[in-house]
Amino acid sequence: MADLVTVILAAGKGTRMKSAHPKVLHKVCGKEMVRHVLDAAVEVGSKRNIVVVGFGADEVRKALDGNAEVVVQEEQLGTGHAVLQTEPLLQETKGTVMVLCGDTPLLTSNLLRKLYEEHEKVGAKATVLTAIVPDATGYGRVIRTAAGDVEKIVEHKDATEDERKVREVNAGIYCFEKKALFSALANVGCENAQGEYYLPDVLSILRNQGEKIWAVAADDFEETLGVNSRIHLAQAEKILRRRKNLELMENGVTLMDPKSTFIDTDVVVGRDTVIYPFTWLEGKTSAGEGCILGPSSRFTDVKIGNGVTAHFVYAHECEIEAGATMGPFVHIRPNSQIGKNVKIGNFVEVKNSNIGEGSKLPHLQYIGDCDMGTNVNMGCGTITVNYDGKTKFRTKIGNGAFVGCNSNLVAPVSVGDDAYIAAGSTITKDVPAKELAVARARQKNIPNWPDKRN
Ligand code: UD1
Ligand code: CA
């Protein structure tokens, strides 16, 4: 497919979404719709990918993050007009141009490959992907001749009552021979219900010129779902989540209740990991093998090693190394690195900190801006005092240190290797290695207190 070029239409506002943002940037399964479409094109082997942007162009360009060429359609005059904007970029191109819509996130590369291969095999000038849908409202209808050949595509708003009864629809996905595409586009008019230049008109124009046009029917209409409203968005979300869950289960991941497990498209999970209900794995999260994740946990952009146990945890933009156990009720905030076999117990928050291998934070800690060594024991209720109201400071705790319950470590401060801190201390000065720091008032007992009180 060396010569395959893909054009993705993504300039429309998506009025029916009632959103301040371009439609194609709404996410399905954690990824913008236009990125789903682009990824499918790349997977099929398309080397050159051009996205037509318009409404919210800068926002779309940013989301594409340099992964596609971008061309601007200043005024959105229809899908035919949108494709026309790519003509200057495709001067040198020969062969096939695949056109996709940025609002069909359920497309798979298998389906695109089928479309492309059949287009090439048949030697058509234009091939459209069609689907039989239960509810064709809003779609362009595929009108066939008595012999079964595609005659034209009629938009919902332009269709007669009889045509509206047709349930075979245009999926908005096509392969064209490049020269034929642009010569036909030059003849597309805008005399229709929406006053727009319709890309599907290219098919009937070519047909009337005696050229071969072709249609490929998708086996599964779900793949071609075009998202035009929040209701469609929710439908797409449900389908893609189910697809992701099935893929993981087929690869050896146990989902205790797939319906209440929410895993984004690009997430990776190793075999023998068990995921309990009400758990979200989002964004670029990856989990190793043999983990137990959830219930009621959320991981966003987290790298999770093998054999991690985490229940009732919210972790984001951090790394949790192999064998760590955490929860219930733990919050791991960005830029944190939780080392191997670390134990984090109930009601603990960690932020921007490194926790060394084998350290224990069993209950009620706030650890912020801290570099903690290995095998440290943090007593219940110990906290780092990292903020003086203006500036954040770091705390350093050496290997094997033992920090007594309810201690405050006022940063910047450093606790040496194998040092001890007496319970209830407020530490403001560095503690050298192997020393015991006691920083609290001495206890005084007063006898016969009830008598003295009176
Ligand atoms: C389109 C098809 C319809 C098909 C349906 C499949 C046309 C005229 N109709 O209708 O036959 O059944 O898709 O989902 O093509 N866009 C631009 N520039 C524009 C207009 C649209 O880039 O000037 C982009 C949109 O951002 C969107 C895509 O093209 O990603 C499709 O546009 P949309 O308005 O959703 O078309 P439909 O009415 O759904
Ligand atoms: Ca659409």
Side-chain angles (χ1 to χ4, degrees):
M1 294 182 196
D3 62 343
L4 179 62
V5 172
T6 301
V7 172
I8 301 172
L9 308 184
K13 179 170 191 281
T15 315
R16 291 163 281 181
M17 293 296 283
K18 310 252 165 74
S19 173
H21 306 285
K23 172 168 73 175
V24 297
L25 292 191
H26 287 265
K27 288 184 178 176
V28 178
C29 231
K31 188 156 81 174
E32 296 86 357
M33 291 199 269
V34 68
R35 289 297 299 260
H36 280 282
V37 176
L38 176 61
D39 289 353
V42 170
E43 221 176 290
V44 94
S46 172
K47 298 269 177 335
R48 195 167 170 206
N49 303 291
I50 303 168
V51 180
V52 182
V53 301
F55 179 79
D58 290 341
E59 236 183 303
V60 180
R61 189 180 274 125
K62 201 168 151 224
L64 290 169
D65 197 21
N67 288 295
E69 290 173 59
V70 166
V71 62
V72 180
Q73 181 194 21
E74 296 290 353
E75 257 187 304
Q76 285 82 60
L77 302 179
T79 48
H81 180 256
V83 173
L84 212 48
Q85 310 309 307
T86 65
E87 194 175 12
L89 285 173
L90 297 177
Q91 291 297 346
E92 308 298 317
T93 304
K94 292 192 182 68
T96 305
V97 177
M98 185 161 73
V99 178
L100 311 176
C101 290
D103 65 350
T104 53
L106 302 177
L107 269 187
T108 61
S109 54
N110 282 345
L111 185 59
L112 294 184
R113 192 170 295 114
K114 183 177 159 190
L115 172 76
Y116 175 78
E117 284 172 1
E118 199 160 324
H119 171 79
E120 298 291 307
K121 200 174 90 195
V122 166
K125 295 286 181 199
T127 304
V128 59
L129 185 75
T130 74
I132 312 275
V133 296
D135 177 10
T137 311
Y139 286 99
R141 308 299 203 279
V142 178
I143 308 302
R144 290 181 182 264
T145 63
D149 297 332
V150 176
E151 186 190 334
K152 59 178 177 179
I153 288 164
V154 182
E155 289 309 300
H156 182 91
K157 287 185 178 150
D158 301 292
T160 63
E161 221 166 288
D162 269 353
E163 287 169 337
R164 283 188 185 178
K165 287 187 188 134
V166 173
R167 289 197 299 119
E168 186 181 15
V169 302
N170 166 22
I173 295 157
Y174 323 77
C175 280
F176 297 102
E177 192 267 315
K178 182 218 138 180
K179 247 172 84 189
L181 169 64
F182 289 105
S183 75
L185 272 177
N187 294 317
V188 169
C190 60
E191 301 77 33
N192 51 50
Q194 304 183 79
E196 287 184 1
Y197 297 89
Y198 290 162
L199 177 62
D201 285 357
V202 164
L203 286 127
S204 47
I205 290 171
L206 289 173
R207 184 173 192 273
N208 292 338
Q209 291 170 354
E211 302 288 4
K212 182 161 193 159
I213 63 168
W214 197 251
V216 171
D219 297 330
D220 177 5
F221 76 90
E222 277 189 351
E223 285 198 36
T224 63
L225 183 83
V227 172
N228 296 319
S229 68
R230 305 273 179 169
I231 293 162
H232 296 153
L233 191 69
Q235 287 167 348
E237 182 82 20
K238 195 171 164 196
I239 294 166
L240 217 51
R241 292 222 174 273
R242 194 185 61 208
R243 206 189 270 172
K244 181 70 186 180
N245 286 349
L246 290 176
E247 174 202 308
L248 289 174
M249 289 189 283
E250 274 161 8
N251 286 295
V253 177
T254 296
L255 304 184
M256 300 296 271
D257 179 19
K259 277 206 174 120
S260 60
T261 306
F262 305 87
I263 302 176
D264 284 356
T265 300
D266 293 335
V267 168
V268 177
V269 184
R271 66 180 173 176
D272 294 324
T273 285
V274 178
I275 303 177
Y276 280 77
F278 307 111
T279 296
W280 277 255
L281 302 182
E282 300 179 313
K284 297 184 197 72
T285 294
S286 66
E289 297 184 359
C291 297
I292 299 174
L293 305 177
S296 298
S297 295
R298 184 177 186 194
F299 301 90
T300 310
D301 300 328
V302 183
K303 187 170 179 222
I304 304 170
N306 293 333
V308 167
T309 299
H311 45 284
F312 300 96
V313 168
Y314 176 32
H316 42 134
E317 295 166 59
C318 59
E319 182 174 354
I320 301 164
E321 290 184 40
T325 62
M326 43 183 56
F329 313 115
V330 165
H331 187 186
I332 311 293
R333 293 170 54 197
N335 296 319
S336 295
Q337 172 103 16
I338 310 300
K340 280 188 194 143
N341 302 322
V342 162
K343 181 178 188 302
I344 298 185
N346 30 219
F347 305 107
V348 175
E349 176 178 343
V350 177
K351 185 214 81 169
N352 192 24
S353 295
N354 304 304
I355 311 296
E357 183 173 346
S359 287
K360 292 188 174 72
L361 292 74
H363 1 247
L364 301 157
Q365 269 95 16
Y366 169 64
I367 306 297
D369 305 304
C370 176
D371 298 302
M372 190 183 292
T374 58
N375 299 310
V376 169
N377 190 85
M378 298 293 281
C380 179
T382 50
I383 63 166
T384 54
V385 184
N386 61 327
Y387 186 47
D388 65 2
K390 279 194 202 131
T391 314
K392 302 260 166 68
F393 299 97
R394 293 195 78 82
T395 299
K396 190 175 180 311
I397 304 175
N399 298 334
F402 187 98
V403 182
C405 290
N406 232 29
S407 302
N408 304 310
L409 303 174
V410 182
V413 75
S414 163
V415 177
D417 290 351
D418 300 314
Y420 284 73
I421 291 170
S425 294
T426 292
I427 300 296
T428 54
K429 287 189 286 195
D430 289 354
V431 183
K434 296 189 175 174
E435 293 191 10
L436 167 67
V438 186
R440 63 175 186 233
R442 244 175 215 290
Q443 182 172 337
K444 179 178 160 191
N445 292 346
I446 302 169
N448 288 326
W449 183 242
D451 298 342
K452 286 183 182 148
R453 269 180 86 201
N454 294 326

